[in-house]
Amino acid sequence: MELEQVTNEFSQLSLDNLATRPAKPGSLGQPIKVLVNTYGIKFNNPDATIFHYDVSIKSHRPTPGPGAQPSPTAEEIKGPKLGRIIWRQVPTSHPSLVPAFQSAGFDGLKMAWSVVPFPASPSSYVVTIPPGTDSVSERYRDYKITFTPVGSLPLQTLIDYVERTGTAAALGNVAARAIQSVDVVLRHGPSMQEGIIVAGQGKKFFDPSARGIDIGQAAVVLSGFFRSARPTITGLQLNLDVVNSPYLATGNLLSVCNAIVGRSNSGPTSAGGRGGRGGGRGGRGGMTGGRGGGASGAFTDVEIRELKKRLRGTKVRVTHRPDPRHFIIEDFAKPSGQQTFELRKKDAPRPQAPSAVSVARAASSGVQVNIDQPPAAVEQVTVASYFKKHVVPGNSIPITKMTALQTSAMIKETARKPTDRLLEINKLRQSSGFATNTLLRAWGIEIAKEMTEVDARVMPAPQVQYHASSKNPKPAVSSGGWNLTNSKFTTPNVKPLEDWAVIVFGDPQRVPKAQVEDFVVELVRTAGTLGMRVKNPRPDITYARHDSQIRDLSAACRSVKFKGPPQLILLVFVDRFSYDAVKRHLMYNQLGLGVPIASQGVMAEKAFKQQRRDQYCRNLLMKINAKLGGSNWTIAAADLPKFTPKTIMLGADVTHPPPIRGRGDVDLPSSIAAVVSTQASGTLGCRAQVREQEGRKESITDFQEMTTNLMKAWIKDSKGVKPDSVLVFRDGVSEGELNRVIYHEVDAIKKSFQDVDPSGAWRPKINYVVCAKRFVVLTKISSSSNSRARHRHHIRAFAKDPTKQVDKNGNLTPGTMIDTTVVHPYLFDFYLQAHAGLVGTAKTTRYICVLNESNFTSNDVEQLVNSLSYGFQRATRSVSMVPVAYYAHVVCEKARSFVYDDDASTVSSGGTGNRRAPNFLQTQMDRKYGNYSLSPEWYM
């Protein structure tokens, strides 16, 4: 990552335009002591001067002699891995630079900082990389590295900034460079270790030689650590954490291919079974399981499609000849008899025209190309697999490409209890060797040995309210959850459930119809106890073969006798299934039923268990009621400060497709933007607007139109009453983009007021809060554009006394609030763990109040956010993020499965020449029953 871009995390932060921290922190709740995984940074040499250099590294050829061919044009290096290899070699080749290099940190590409100035002359040095160095081309082994001074700054500026001394807030630009310099210096040591995988924009480090955890289908999880500097209200601190990331298994490429598609072989990983609904952010299903017969035989079209999706951009090396270079898989080849390449004999006189030879013919004629299998068996594989290839370490797997099985296995294998994670992080600190690090000593940096102790509070849970006619309209909330027994939904489904059906994907002998009918009877009975209205208690039940999903789904749907537009289809699965493919067809009206269809999936294994079936049905009906336009419960008004009946709440998010490596800006896929609003009825139901927009753009292009539509709908519901305040929760904006995104989106909101009321008299107050469970960083993907990658923040909180203030899993009690010690020096931010951690260590969400026209105090906004976290309509427990932002995120993630084709080589929205209308998705989502508009949750 180029640090001149990351500097945006601070330099674009103009504090004059953003809400600042109130003078007093919050006071609501029970005080507790917690430990946070940051360690204080002390500067023992505050008078030091930081020298900033631009670093240019290019391939080098000596000046040719008279009559010689001109040297090829120098090429800039393309990645930080090569940059670090060259950097390590510089002091060996040029001893005069040793003092400066011992005091310098380098980001791997363009930026270096040192407290000892580099020699003014010469400014360029030639470095020769030893033969056989991993990933280095034999064509270019000489490189010229040039240092150009950018400027210098006193370290004291950084100290003043984080300590809020005098006018330090105005020095954000200068302090940004100083903070980034310290951040790079802290990460310089591990990033320079040979063989270490550097990931997460230079902040995560993994050792590929350590044994990874096999999670199936050629994927392994590597354990490593995270390290980064953070400015806080008590000074600069080092954030340390243990991390796990999925990577492609190393080894023979054909074996990796076989493992991915589930063929048996003696490859690097165990083959996975049948894939299922994608896990994590936007996963889109797995692949077919093993077919028997070993690994021989041509790959089928389905397998090739899966390999394209999983392997595009993978780095490999050849093994049929000595070659340290890494090659990238860009596409898939024709059958070996049709795929040709140009062949020129080595000893043939020049010039000689090369001849086109097929891979199969070359192999059969004795040309030593060393393919992995005989041509008869190698009919369709990747281009790289024609020759002996080896998958190299470091091929990360985006979360969006993981199957549900892989995601489940990763969670199971990597989840750590809080006490275990705390112990691991402290061991990581003890083994880091900060005290003896030459570079840190040169900078006078001292790292605290103990975690930061923080004064926190446990916020009181709000009152959850059901329909007044319930036996238990106000259930007791404990540890972030409550029981639905004896309660009725606040607002049942808008239209009685009449036109619905059940489709079973499985064999009738395995799932008898009588068993399905018995479950439906229990489901309908439970719906009645919750106040839902079911007009047709005996829906049609039909079967579809689970191995021919969409074809049989369409036939099964058409066989059902509906009186009107179908309201709901209950999908019963006997095993993992391509869930999103079914959803896409139901939404896109591709089944010939006249309208998109709400659906609800159930697993037969869970649905047909007699034990706790009533609880399973209640959980299922919460989702069904929301999909049919109902509202399950509300939060007591007393627990929602400054949230009145005239407040409209908006949630917004943008989700981006994973980068298509090796393709730069060609056919850059669309991003998906969603804005969700609450309804004027006072329920916690919502509406949504969703758009496709320019790929990897974080601000929402059509925010004005989307907000205008939601405002008009809200005003219509309230019979003409306009809201007097707007509360926005925005997911996924980094500190460096706060000003730019907020300027655009707040301006769009204000223009929407004008669209609704052209007189300009209506000017409700705007309050804008950023939710940051993930953060966004800039990443360079080509010379002409930037992408943005989302990563999880790494602030973790632990009970100082693990025998107190923890839940049954050892996590902090839901409602734990942190608004001191580790928060930003100037921004109005806080950390909240609103939910119970069911697996592993629970994680806080960071909230940043950046616009505060209603003059929220710390108590106001903290209580409001904590209470709203109990309003997620799909579970009787609090969630980790305010639901309206959660819904926006879910809408984006669901929409992406409707937009992006499963074939990694294409995107449904196409490139620049084949894009749909931006509101295409909106037209698919909008549906009504007569005058009733349904919640956007109908398709989730």
Side-chain angles (χ1 to χ4, degrees):
M1 175 175 56
E2 295 193 21
L3 289 211
E4 60 187 344
Q5 297 165 344
V6 181
T7 299
N8 288 330
E9 294 289 330
F10 301 96
S11 63
Q12 292 184 19
L13 189 57
S14 174
L15 298 173
D16 294 337
N17 299 328
L18 303 177
T20 54
R21 178 178 303 285
K24 294 182 179 180
S27 58
L28 292 178
Q30 180 183 355
I32 60 170
K33 296 283 188 181
V34 300
L35 299 175
V36 174
N37 60 331
T38 64
Y39 298 81
I41 298 176
K42 180 182 178 181
F43 295 99
N44 295 321
N45 188 15
D47 297 328
T49 297
I50 301 172
F51 299 93
H52 182 191
Y53 294 91
D54 175 84
V55 181
S56 171
I57 305 177
K58 296 182 178 180
S59 58
H60 175 70
R61 285 285 188 274
T63 303
Q69 292 289 329
S71 297
T73 304
E75 296 181 6
E76 195 92 28
I77 65 168
K78 296 180 179 180
K81 182 175 182 178
L82 178 56
R84 293 183 178 109
I85 291 173
I86 294 168
W87 182 273
R88 290 198 299 265
Q89 192 64 29
V90 171
T92 302
S93 304
H94 303 278
S96 63
L97 289 176
V98 169
F101 266 56
Q102 287 179 340
S103 304
F106 177 49
D107 73 338
L109 280 175
K110 293 289 294 179
M111 298 293 168
W113 286 268
S114 178
V115 289
V116 174
F118 285 20
S121 179
S123 60
S124 297
Y125 302 85
V126 176
V127 176
T128 300
I129 304 302
T133 301
D134 183 46
S135 79
V136 177
S137 169
E138 292 300 300
R139 180 184 178 194
Y140 296 125
R141 290 198 297 109
D142 292 336
Y143 293 87
K144 179 182 285 188
I145 183 168
T146 302
F147 303 100
T148 304
V150 175
S152 62
L153 60 152
L155 180 60
Q156 187 64 46
T157 301
L158 164 59
I159 299 172
D160 290 343
Y161 181 80
V162 294
E163 292 183 354
R164 301 159 61 107
T165 303
T167 59
L171 302 176
N173 240 351
V174 179
R177 286 186 289 154
I179 292 171
Q180 291 302 324
S181 70
V182 174
D183 194 36
V184 168
V185 165
L186 289 169
R187 295 183 279 109
H188 179 86
S191 70
M192 287 294 164
Q193 292 181 28
E194 192 169 354
I196 292 294
I197 297 173
V198 182
Q201 312 310 308
K203 299 182 180 183
K204 294 180 181 179
F205 307 92
F206 302 92
D207 183 359
S209 65
R211 189 174 183 273
I213 302 171
D214 181 2
I215 57 173
Q217 296 167 300
V220 296
V221 174
L222 297 182
S223 297
F225 65 92
F226 170 91
R227 183 186 294 185
S228 182
R230 296 183 61 87
T232 73
I233 200 168
T234 54
L236 200 64
Q237 299 205 9
L238 175 65
N239 185 196
L240 284 179
D241 197 13
V242 291
V243 292
N244 299 279
S245 290
Y247 283 85
L248 195 64
T250 60
N252 176 274
L253 178 58
L254 190 58
S255 295
V256 170
C257 290
N258 286 330
I260 287 175
V261 299
R263 293 190 178 200
S264 59
N265 64 41
S266 56
T269 67
S270 60
R274 181 174 300 278
R277 180 184 178 186
R281 290 176 58 85
R284 291 182 288 283
M287 53 246 158
T288 306
R291 292 170 174 75
S296 63
F299 289 108
T300 66
D301 290 342
V302 172
E303 290 173 329
I304 288 293
R305 188 181 182 88
E306 191 66 31
L307 292 174
K308 277 189 177 186
K309 184 166 64 174
R310 306 293 175 194
L311 292 178
R312 183 182 296 280
T314 297
K315 293 181 180 180
V316 297
R317 61 177 174 82
V318 298
T319 59
H320 68 283
R321 66 170 185 264
D323 194 334
R325 291 177 297 170
H326 293 173
F327 299 88
I328 294 177
I329 298 176
E330 293 188 352
D331 208 343
F332 280 59
K334 302 173 184 177
S336 60
Q338 301 174 22
Q339 183 70 37
T340 61
F341 62 96
E342 292 184 347
L343 180 66
R344 191 197 305 271
K345 291 185 178 180
K346 224 174 178 183
D347 55 353
R350 292 177 180 268
Q352 180 208 42
S355 57
V357 179
S358 73
V359 173
R361 182 178 178 183
S364 62
S365 63
V367 177
Q368 294 188 10
V369 295
N370 295 331
I371 62 175
D372 282 331
Q373 290 183 331
V378 187
E379 297 202 2
Q380 286 192 13
V381 289
T382 60
V383 173
S385 289
Y386 282 135
F387 308 100
K388 288 186 176 178
K389 299 286 184 183
H390 185 93
V391 178
V392 300
N395 287 292
S396 63
I397 301 176
I399 296 297
T400 51
K401 289 188 177 182
M402 293 179 67
T403 68
L405 292 174
Q406 290 173 332
T407 302
S408 177
M410 180 172 172
I411 293 172
K412 179 180 178 181
E413 296 291 341
T414 62
R416 293 175 172 86
K417 292 181 179 179
T419 50
D420 294 339
R421 192 181 195 100
L422 177 64
L423 182 63
E424 286 189 51
I425 295 173
N426 278 324
K427 284 183 177 179
L428 179 62
R429 163 62 188 91
Q430 295 167 10
S431 63
S432 295
F434 292 132
T436 58
N437 185 284
T438 302
L439 177 56
L440 297 187
R441 293 175 67 180
W443 280 63
I445 292 176
E446 183 179 338
I447 309 296
K449 296 180 180 179
E450 303 294 334
M451 272 191 187
T452 304
E453 183 177 311
V454 179
D455 291 323
R457 291 169 287 117
V458 178
M459 303 287 288
Q463 179 61 67
V464 174
Q465 297 180 335
Y466 285 91
H467 197 279
S469 66
S470 305
K471 290 183 180 179
N472 186 18
K474 297 180 178 181
V477 177
S478 176
S479 297
W482 62 96
N483 200 313
L484 186 52
T485 305
N486 296 326
S487 298
K488 293 182 180 180
F489 293 146
T490 304
T491 307
N493 47 309
V494 176
K495 181 183 178 181
L497 187 57
E498 180 177 10
D499 290 301
W500 64 304
V502 181
I503 298 178
V504 183
F505 290 89
D507 193 286
Q509 275 134 14
R510 184 175 177 186
V511 188
K513 189 173 183 179
Q515 200 173 34
V516 181
E517 290 174 337
D518 182 55
F519 172 72
V520 171
V521 168
E522 179 66 18
L523 187 69
V524 171
R525 186 198 67 78
T526 307
T529 66
L530 295 171
M532 291 183 68
R533 297 177 292 170
V534 181
K535 192 172 181 179
N536 174 18
R538 298 181 65 85
D540 284 353
I541 299 172
T542 187
Y543 287 78
R545 287 171 50 203
H546 69 279
D547 58 348
S548 57
Q549 301 145 2
I550 302 307
R551 182 176 66 252
D552 274 22
L553 172 63
S554 179
C557 286
R558 286 195 297 270
S559 71
V560 177
K561 304 299 181 185
F562 294 109
K563 293 182 180 180
Q567 294 170 267
L568 176 72
I569 293 182
L570 198 67
L571 305 169
V572 180
F573 303 138
V574 295
D575 56 13
R576 295 285 186 176
F577 185 75
S578 293
Y579 177 87
D580 283 340
V582 175
K583 285 286 195 180
R584 183 162 53 245
H585 283 72
L586 291 170
M587 180 179 177
Y588 277 0
N589 189 21
Q590 293 175 335
L591 302 177
L593 297 175
V595 293
I597 308 167
S599 64
Q600 179 62 53
V602 299
M603 292 296 296
E605 180 184 4
K606 294 182 178 180
F608 301 152
K609 275 185 179 179
Q610 294 299 321
Q611 186 179 11
R612 305 183 74 176
R613 179 188 275 189
D614 58 338
Q615 180 178 334
Y616 181 81
C617 287
R618 286 196 295 269
N619 292 340
L620 205 63
L621 287 163
M622 283 191 291
K623 300 177 183 178
I624 292 174
N625 190 50
K627 291 177 181 183
L628 297 180
S631 178
N632 299 336
W633 65 85
T634 60
I635 303 298
D639 294 317
L640 302 172
K642 296 190 177 182
F643 188 86
T644 72
K646 296 182 69 175
T647 299
I648 182 173
M649 186 161 53
L650 304 177
D653 191 22
V654 179
T655 187
H656 307 293
I660 302 178
R661 291 172 290 187
R663 294 176 67 175
D665 294 334
V666 178
D667 291 339
L668 188 63
S670 300
S671 291
I672 309 295
V675 182
V676 172
S677 76
T678 51
Q679 299 181 31
S681 60
T683 68
L684 296 176
C686 57
R687 287 190 175 86
Q689 291 280 304
V690 61
R691 301 288 188 275
E692 292 182 67
Q693 65 178 37
E694 177 187 343
R696 305 209 166 271
K697 179 182 179 183
E698 188 55 51
S699 60
I700 299 175
T701 302
D702 293 336
F703 204 93
Q704 179 181 344
E705 178 193 13
M706 298 162 80
T707 304
T708 298
N709 293 341
L710 294 170
M711 292 284 183
K712 289 180 177 178
W714 195 96
I715 294 169
K716 182 179 179 180
D717 283 349
S718 66
K719 296 180 172 46
V721 177
K722 297 184 179 71
D724 59 13
S725 64
V726 180
L727 178 58
V728 183
F729 286 97
R730 178 65 154 90
D731 186 15
V733 181
S734 70
E735 287 179 4
E737 294 186 305
L738 286 178
N739 262 330
R740 182 167 56 82
V741 171
I742 291 168
Y743 174 83
H744 168 77
E745 294 181 1
V746 170
D747 184 61
I749 294 173
K750 291 179 178 179
K751 288 179 178 177
S752 75
F753 300 160
Q754 190 78 19
D755 292 340
V756 174
D757 184 358
S759 71
W762 179 50
R763 296 181 180 178
K765 294 178 180 179
I766 303 174
N767 304 283
Y768 193 111
V769 181
V770 170
C771 316
K773 193 170 185 182
R774 302 175 308 276
F775 63 90
V776 184
V777 292
L778 293 170
T779 230
K780 193 83 168 181
I781 57 173
S782 74
S783 59
S784 61
S785 72
N786 298 326
S787 73
R788 292 170 178 85
R790 294 192 175 190
H791 300 271
R792 299 183 180 276
H793 79 67
H794 287 270
I795 292 295
R796 301 277 184 167
F798 307 89
K800 182 181 179 183
D801 183 352
T803 65
K804 299 178 181 179
Q805 299 297 340
V806 295
D807 62 18
K808 61 182 181 180
N809 297 315
N811 280 295
L812 291 167
T813 304
T816 298
M817 174 69 64
I818 298 172
D819 64 355
T820 63
T821 310
V822 293
V823 293
H824 194 275
Y826 303 97
L827 293 177
F828 184 3
D829 67 335
F830 57 89
Y831 294 89
L832 172 64
Q833 183 202 306
H835 64 297
L838 302 181
V839 179
T841 305
K843 184 177 182 184
T844 61
T845 295
R846 184 188 183 198
Y847 292 91
I848 310 171
C849 183
V850 293
L851 189 61
N852 185 14
E853 293 185 352
S854 293
N855 296 317
F856 280 101
T857 65
S858 293
N859 278 337
D860 288 338
V861 71
E862 290 172 4
Q863 183 183 12
L864 176 63
V865 167
N866 183 61
S867 297
L868 288 172
S869 300
Y870 287 75
F872 187 61
Q873 297 287 285
R874 297 161 68 92
T876 54
R877 61 177 58 254
S878 56
V879 292
S880 62
M881 186 182 295
V882 169
V884 71
Y886 203 129
Y887 290 138
H889 170 69
V890 173
V891 169
C892 284
E893 291 305 316
K894 285 297 179 182
R896 68 183 289 153
S897 70
F898 305 144
V899 171
Y900 306 130
D901 192 276
D902 285 335
D903 188 340
S905 66
T906 62
V907 180
S908 296
S909 61
T912 56
N914 186 34
R915 292 197 183 275
R916 292 185 290 262
N919 65 345
F920 169 79
L921 285 170
Q922 191 68 44
T923 63
Q924 302 299 317
M925 282 177 49
D926 290 339
R927 65 176 301 192
K928 296 181 178 180
Y929 291 128
N931 294 324
Y932 298 108
S933 297
L934 291 192
S935 161
E937 291 189 67
W938 71 266
Y939 70 89
M940 293 185 189

